[in-house]
Amino acid sequence: MRKSALTTLIAASVAAAAVTASTQAFAYGAGDFFTRVGVAKVEPKSDNGSLDAVAIDAYGLETDVEDDSAFAFTLGYRFTDKLGVELLAAEPFDHDFTLGGGAATGSTDHLPPTLTLQYYPLGGTDAYVQPYMGVGVNYTKFSDEKATVAGVGEVDVEFDDSWGAVGQLGVDLLIDDNWALNGAVWYMDIDSDAKIAGIDAGKVEIDPVVVMGGISYRF
């Protein structure tokens, strides 16, 4: 899923470079404010590291963080035809996780505000298909962590908030002067130090691909 979504979006972006309008020029570019609204799916990488629950004498528990989808939106501004900035926000994502193949189970919520500097190669032209790419930074805030260990019961678990780099690819399919269809994918470096029963347990490496589809509106 991760690879196919990323490959499809890259292919669409490359193909878009040859597509231009012949009857109407929308000329999206400098000075535009815009929002993108849709559903985002967070897909953590398959190997999320391992944790040591020292307080309960459990070591090397392989960690598996599951996918989740939620409503997401962005706000952005194009300060030149080809350069812009965009902030991604969303309702909290709720991820279930397992440790040691089921020795422990739990869940956590996270908010992933992400700021990217974007480049639009066809910005300011009459292209109906507008690809873009971005780089930036992500801040992930974890909350409502819960865990239950087999044979022990509930234990306190805590994930530290995370800062990390971000890469982005996206494409707008312009409908008219204001509306467009949008698809985007981000790769986020999200690593969190974990504590179990108040004791350092290691690092959880989430490092997700985030895929979003929806609509865009230019103000």
Side-chain angles (χ1 to χ4, degrees), residues 18 46 50 106 121 144 169 173 179 183:
S46 58
S50 63
D144 294 332
L169 291 173
L173 308 178
W179 294 96

Side-chain angles (χ1 to χ4, degrees), residues 27-217:
Y28 279 41
D32 288 347
F33 286 92
F34 60 88
T35 184
R36 294 171 175 137
V37 179
V39 175
K41 183 176 183 180
V42 177
E43 303 177 54
K45 71 173 188 174
S46 58
D47 179 7
N48 305 124
S50 63
L51 297 178
D52 295 335
V54 178
I56 56 174
D57 296 324
Y59 301 91
L61 299 175
E62 295 297 321
T63 307
D64 182 22
V65 182
E66 297 182 8
D67 301 350
D68 190 39
S69 298
F71 169 78
F73 65 94
T74 74
L75 293 173
Y77 177 70
R78 299 269 287 273
F79 42 85
T80 74
D81 286 343
K82 296 184 181 296
L83 292 177
V85 64
E86 182 180 41
L87 177 65
L88 168 69
E91 65 178 332
F93 293 92
D94 183 7
H95 294 281
D96 293 329
F97 62 84
T98 59
L99 303 175
T105 59
S107 65
T108 182
D109 292 347
H110 90 266
L111 286 171
T114 300
L115 184 67
T116 52
L117 178 67
Q118 298 172 318
Y119 174 68
Y120 294 79
L122 302 182
T125 73
D126 59 359
Y128 276 71
V129 183
Q130 291 277 347
Y132 58 90
M133 61 194 72
V135 294
V137 63
N138 164 263
Y139 171 71
T140 298
K141 180 175 179 58
F142 294 92
S143 63
D144 294 332
E145 300 98 321
K146 303 173 184 176
T148 301
V149 178
V152 176
E154 291 188 6
V155 297
D156 292 332
V157 60
E158 179 183 348
F159 295 142
D160 287 347
D161 297 345
S162 167
W163 289 90
V166 172
Q168 179 192 29
L169 291 173
V171 61
D172 284 323
L173 308 178
L174 308 189
I175 298 172
D176 58 24
D177 284 340
N178 298 103
W179 294 96
L181 299 177
N182 175 259
V185 59
W186 294 258
Y187 171 77
M188 300 181 182
D189 178 21
I190 301 177
D191 298 334
S192 175
D193 292 326
K195 290 185 176 70
I196 297 178
I199 299 174
D200 291 340
K203 187 181 295 291
V204 177
E205 299 174 357
I206 300 175
D207 299 341
V209 166
V210 179
V211 180
M212 177 177 168
I215 58 173
S216 175
Y217 181 78

